């Protein structure tokens, strides 16, 4: 009997969504990330691997890591990410692949992290505006270059934070 272990994470709804389909403010609801671990006994690692890839694709997820260990008992470990609303269906599909040896689900509230990120993003945008105003002033070339470098750094931070909020 082979063994398949999985860490599946159901990501919180996108923090950039201002409202849900019912018009409610998403920011006022807790933003949760669910994580699940499952260990299965399977007959064939190779067939299970193919089935896992199919499940990930059907559930619109991503395979984040994969380790195939061939010790005394061959073990396939993988980590995947799926949208939170598809986590239960994903776990159901995965457990159908074999005998469940172990399973756990945890939930993490990331609301405060998102509030902090939004505040930092707002501050970076204000810094960007101030630096753009400084660039408009004519001045020494070295001063303009220094402001330009700082503006580039601020814009990079803004892009990074925007990406975090939308992922």
């Amino acid at each position: 009997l082979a063994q398949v272990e999985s860490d599946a994470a159901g990501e919180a709804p996108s923090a950039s969504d201002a409202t849900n389909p019912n018009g409610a403010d998403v920011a006022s609801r807790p933003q949760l990330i669910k994580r699940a671990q499952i260990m299965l006994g399977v007959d064939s690692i190779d067939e299970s691997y193919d089935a896992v890839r199919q499940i990930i694709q059907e559930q619109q997820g991503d395979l984040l890591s994969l380790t195939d260990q061939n010790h005394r008992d061959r073990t396939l470990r993988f980590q995947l990410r799926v949208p939170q609303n598809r986590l239960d269906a994903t776990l159901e599909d995965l457990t159908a692949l074999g005998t469940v040896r172990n399973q756990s689900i945890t939930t993490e509230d990331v609301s405060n992290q998102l509030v902090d990120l939004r505040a930092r993003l707002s501050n970076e945008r204000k810094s960007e505006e101030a630096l753009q105003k400084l660039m408009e002033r004519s001045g020494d070339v070295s001063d303009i270059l220094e402001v330009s470098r700082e503006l580039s750094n601020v814009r990079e931070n803004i892009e990074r934070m925007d990406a975090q909020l939308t992922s």
Side-chain angles (χ1 to χ4, degrees):
L1 195 64
Q3 180 173 298
V4 175
E5 296 183 26
S6 169
D7 289 324
E11 295 299 317
S14 173
S16 64
D17 296 339
T19 59
N20 70 10
N22 300 326
D25 184 6
V26 172
S28 65
R29 294 189 337 225
Q31 299 295 301
L32 306 175
I33 295 177
K34 288 185 177 180
R35 289 189 171 84
Q37 283 191 311
I38 186 169
M39 184 187 308
L40 300 173
V42 297
D43 293 329
S44 169
I45 290 283
D46 296 325
E47 288 176 18
S48 297
Y49 172 70
D50 292 338
V52 166
R53 289 186 54 186
Q54 181 67 32
I55 291 168
I56 293 169
Q57 184 176 15
E58 289 172 2
Q59 298 300 337
Q60 300 173 352
D62 299 301
L63 181 63
L64 302 178
S65 67
L66 173 71
T67 306
D68 188 351
Q69 297 175 335
N70 199 1
H71 297 297
R72 192 178 76 168
D73 290 330
R74 186 171 175 202
T75 302
L76 179 67
R77 296 175 194 266
F78 57 91
Q79 182 178 14
L80 59 106
R81 178 174 53 197
V82 294
Q84 185 172 356
N85 63 341
R86 294 180 174 265
L87 181 61
D88 291 335
T90 303
L91 291 174
E92 189 175 304
D93 291 346
L94 289 172
T95 57
L97 298 177
T99 305
V100 177
R101 292 183 177 173
N102 189 7
Q103 182 175 356
S104 67
I105 298 175
T106 59
T107 303
E108 178 184 2
D109 186 346
V110 294
S111 302
N112 289 338
Q113 295 169 16
L114 293 174
V115 169
D116 180 53
L117 184 59
R118 286 184 187 116
R120 289 189 339 224
L121 180 58
S122 176
N123 288 336
E124 287 289 336
R125 287 193 170 128
K126 289 174 186 173
S127 294
E128 180 185 31
E129 287 177 28
L131 288 167
Q132 285 173 335
K133 288 178 183 175
L134 282 174
M135 286 287 290
E136 292 171 3
R137 296 181 186 170
S138 59
D140 189 25
V141 172
S142 64
D143 291 340
I144 292 173
L145 289 174
E146 186 176 335
V147 171
S148 177
R149 278 192 295 271
E150 184 60 26
L151 184 57
S152 177
N153 290 336
V154 167
R155 285 182 176 154
E156 181 181 328
N157 290 339
I158 289 172
E159 289 172 8
R160 188 178 317 111
M161 288 182 221
D162 272 336
Q164 283 180 309
L165 285 173
T166 57
S167 67

